Amino acid sequence: MSQPARLAMLVSGSGSNLQAIIDACAAGRLPAQVVLVVSNRKDAYALVRATRAGIPTAYLPFKPYREAGRERAAYDADLAALVRAAAPDYVVLAGWLHSLSMAFLQHFPGRVVNLHPALPGEYPGLHAIERAYAAWRA
């Protein structure tokens, strides 16, 4: 029997996708274990969901980096170090509202899964499904 996949989840909002993954893991429908949840927003309800499930959480905002004049790559490198410490098999972007640079992605080649429904650049940000649908109907 193989070991369950270790998942680090990056979240920015309510955590409905996170909760679906937690539930699927608990029910045995997904052979995985969420080992870390990181948010860039302190008030993200996803952090509450993770805490209730006994999953370690971390809060890493970008604002202090920006205010100190540091580049995005510095933030992404620190984020990668935080995530690497949890030794995940996969990094899952579950509503993560920032694009990740190579300073992050290079540490997890072929192991980052984005649950966001839009193609990068096409309909980024919030309400991507609604905006993509509206464009299709137009």
Side-chain angles (χ1 to χ4, degrees), residues 82-108:
L82 175 65
V83 172
R84 264 194 340 263
D89 296 310
Y90 297 97
V91 178
V92 181
L93 310 180
W96 183 251
L97 294 180
H98 286 294
S99 295
L100 295 168
S101 70
M102 286 308 297
F104 180 88
L105 296 172
Q106 70 185 353
H107 297 282
F108 309 99

Side-chain angles (χ1 to χ4, degrees), residues 33-119:
Q33 173 189 12
V34 180
V35 297
L36 177 66
V37 174
V38 180
S39 182
N40 58 340
R41 290 185 44 223
K42 189 174 191 172
D43 64 344
Y45 189 68
L47 294 174
V48 173
R49 293 177 190 265
T51 299
R52 286 181 180 163
I55 300 166
T57 64
Y59 164 60
L60 186 64
F62 177 62
K63 186 176 179 180
Y65 288 76
R66 185 178 61 241
E67 290 173 348
R70 296 181 68 197
E71 293 187 16
R72 183 57 190 244
Y75 173 81
D76 282 2
D78 288 348
L79 177 62
L82 175 65
V83 172
R84 264 194 340 263
D89 296 310
Y90 297 97
V91 178
V92 181
L93 310 180
W96 183 251
L97 294 180
H98 286 294
S99 295
L100 295 168
S101 70
M102 286 308 297
F104 180 88
L105 296 172
Q106 70 185 353
H107 297 282
F108 309 99
R111 299 186 297 138
V112 177
V113 178
N114 187 4
L115 299 184
H116 195 282
L119 295 173

